[in-house]
Amino acid sequence: MSELLLPNPDRSLTPYRLTGTPIPFEHHSASDFPRIAYAAAHVVADPLASNDPWLAPAIDWDTTLKFRHRLWDLGLGVAEAMDTAQRGMGLGWAEAQELIRRAQAEARTRPDALIAYGAGTDHLAPGPDVTIDAIIAAYEEQIGFVEGQGGRVILMASRALAVAARSPDDYARVYGRILSQVRQPVILHWLGEMFDPALQGYWGRADHEAAMDVCLDVIAAHADKVDGIKISLLSKEKEIAMRRRLPASVRMYTGDDFNYAELIAGDDMGHSDALLGIFDAIAPAASAALAALGRGSENAFFELLEPTVPLSRHIFAAPTRFYKTGVVFLAYLNGLQDHFTMIGGQQSTRSLQHLSELFRLADKARVLADPELAIARMQRVLAVHGVV
């Protein structure tokens, strides 16, 4: 097998020999799976654009949309214009609108395209003068755009609301108003502060368990307008506790990139569906595992998916908000884009040591689709960092 030199934490270089047999790409449809599974998809930057990368995002639309078709070919849904797409972290509302418009046009070209779109308030700058009514209006604007395109809504958490709310009652007012108006049931998204520090204390409570009570009250009051909720708190215990308290008609979509395998498998009292950023990076493994679960083979499900968990935990290591760099790096290693460049220059948020360990873990998880290509591209990155 092929090998290359990789750096170690003590600054030494040692040979690493690849051992993983890549999981093959196999076409599936969502009906093959016993769970609904969305992959939060990244956007591909355009490195040849003439722009100021920190100020104006440039997107390679053709490659970005081709990647969505790849996810659909694997039977996965696409959670579009979410934080994995650098939403609010390089991707502004204007660019998100264009992404939504283009993705919905692609979805219409095939009957099996499962897709939903993030709608939030990110075009409204948080501040002490922002009112609850202004936040409601901002949500209405974005939801109106998504629904006007014929899309389904993922109701994203609001940084502006986190600043403006004075009590849980303000959250109940905003969500109650919005949910009373949506055309079809939405997926709520509770994004924890480990993903976005600006969302600290969401639902008007600093404690997650107390915040959960507020959120569950909102859901119970509008259960007919809520398809499910994705929580991203990186705690399987909190997710299971909340899952068991949801109305029977409301799904739990795991956003736990640390414990997704066991949460999707579930227990005697229920299971989680999935809306995960890591499924962007490990899509063939996720697809194969879900198909195995659909065939009734839980052993094969865990054999395929559990080796990806150490990789995911590494990609989502603190500062967790930088996980997108690892997702894009793996797309580059796998030949899904021709460069390791991100909007906003965020390829710089992880160290060479982090990327080298990601390479090792990706090999062990069997998610390097073409080992020789992965080695060649890893060596280019090493050379840029002075390792030759």
Side-chain angles (χ1 to χ4, degrees):
M1 296 292 290
S2 299
E3 67 178 31
L4 76 168
L5 289 175
L6 290 178
N8 303 303
D10 66 358
R11 304 172 69 89
S12 65
L13 301 175
T14 55
Y16 178 79
R17 182 175 294 272
L18 276 72
T19 59
T21 301
I23 295 171
F25 185 105
E26 295 181 351
H27 284 75
H28 285 288
S29 65
S31 61
D32 295 334
F33 305 155
R35 308 285 187 265
I36 297 174
Y38 288 95
H42 75 282
V43 294
V44 181
D46 179 0
L48 302 181
S50 179
N51 69 318
D52 295 308
W54 281 23
L55 303 177
I59 297 170
D60 178 344
W61 292 112
D62 289 343
T63 308
T64 292
L65 295 172
K66 183 179 179 181
F67 187 77
R68 273 82 182 137
H69 281 282
R70 179 177 184 267
L71 294 174
W72 288 324
D73 288 343
L74 288 163
L76 299 171
V78 173
E80 189 59 274
M82 303 290 289
D83 51 296
T84 307
Q86 298 183 238
R87 181 75 180 272
M89 307 167 193
L91 188 80
W93 173 231
E95 295 78 25
Q97 285 177 285
E98 185 65 15
L99 177 60
I100 291 165
R101 186 182 298 111
R102 288 173 180 261
Q104 184 67 1
E106 294 298 315
R108 292 193 192 101
T109 68
R110 50 192 299 166
D112 60 343
L114 176 63
I115 189 165
Y117 304 93
T121 67
D122 49 312
H123 62 296
L124 179 66
D129 298 328
V130 174
T131 66
I132 297 300
D133 285 340
I135 293 167
I136 290 172
Y139 265 128
E140 289 173 339
E141 177 182 339
Q142 293 203 12
I143 291 168
F145 178 81
V146 171
E147 292 186 334
Q149 295 294 313
R152 188 166 197 167
V153 169
I154 301 170
L155 197 61
M156 299 173 69
S158 167
R159 291 175 177 172
L161 181 56
V163 172
R166 295 294 173 260
S167 74
D169 290 342
D170 287 329
Y171 287 88
R173 178 184 167 195
V174 170
Y175 280 86
R177 173 74 171 272
I178 296 304
L179 292 173
S180 69
Q181 299 177 57
V182 293
R183 295 179 184 176
Q184 57 181 325
V186 306
I187 299 173
L188 300 180
H189 185 196
W190 178 6
L191 188 67
E193 62 276 7
M194 64 289 296
F195 288 89
D196 186 348
L199 298 175
Q200 178 79 37
Y202 210 72
W203 301 109
R205 292 285 185 259
D207 176 76
H208 286 161
E209 282 76 12
M212 193 180 298
D213 291 337
V214 179
C215 182
L216 285 164
D217 285 345
V218 168
I219 292 171
H222 306 278
D224 62 325
K225 292 297 186 75
V226 180
D227 168 68
I229 180 168
K230 164 188 160 74
I231 66 169
S232 300
L233 301 178
L234 300 183
S235 166
K236 64 180 181 181
E237 294 80 11
K238 292 173 185 176
E239 179 172 319
I240 291 170
M242 188 171 188
R243 186 174 76 195
R244 291 176 178 172
R245 295 174 62 189
L246 288 172
S249 62
V250 177
R251 298 176 181 273
M252 172 60 75
Y253 288 93
T254 185
D256 189 336
D257 299 278
F258 284 7
N259 305 289
Y260 48 90
E262 59 188 292
L263 290 165
I264 292 169
D267 54 34
D268 292 340
M269 298 180 67
H271 64 263
S272 296
D273 293 282
L275 199 166
L276 289 161
I278 193 59
F279 275 13
D280 172 303
I282 64 163
S287 174
L290 288 164
L293 193 63
R295 297 191 300 268
S297 180
E298 190 168 292
N299 286 341
F301 169 82
F302 279 111
E303 286 172 3
L304 287 159
L305 209 55
E306 276 198 325
T308 69
V309 173
L311 170 65
S312 185
R313 291 187 176 204
H314 180 71
I315 288 175
F316 285 81
T320 302
R321 64 188 182 276
F322 295 151
Y323 77 88
K324 294 168 283 293
T325 301
V327 168
V328 173
F329 185 59
L330 197 47
Y332 169 66
L333 292 178
N334 280 328
L336 301 173
Q337 55 188 78
D338 294 332
H339 56 84
F340 178 38
T341 305
M342 298 173 65
I343 60 175
Q346 288 201 32
Q347 68 273 9
S348 65
T349 66
R350 294 297 199 186
S351 69
L352 183 62
Q353 292 286 353
H354 179 94
L355 299 178
S356 297
E357 182 63 12
L358 187 157
F359 184 91
R360 297 183 188 97
L361 292 170
D363 172 46
K364 293 173 183 175
R366 301 173 56 201
V367 296
L368 293 178
D370 181 339
E372 293 301 324
L373 175 65
I375 286 173
R377 292 193 163 189
M378 185 72 212
Q379 288 175 328
R380 293 175 194 170
V381 173
L382 290 164
V384 168
H385 287 80
V387 179
V388 294

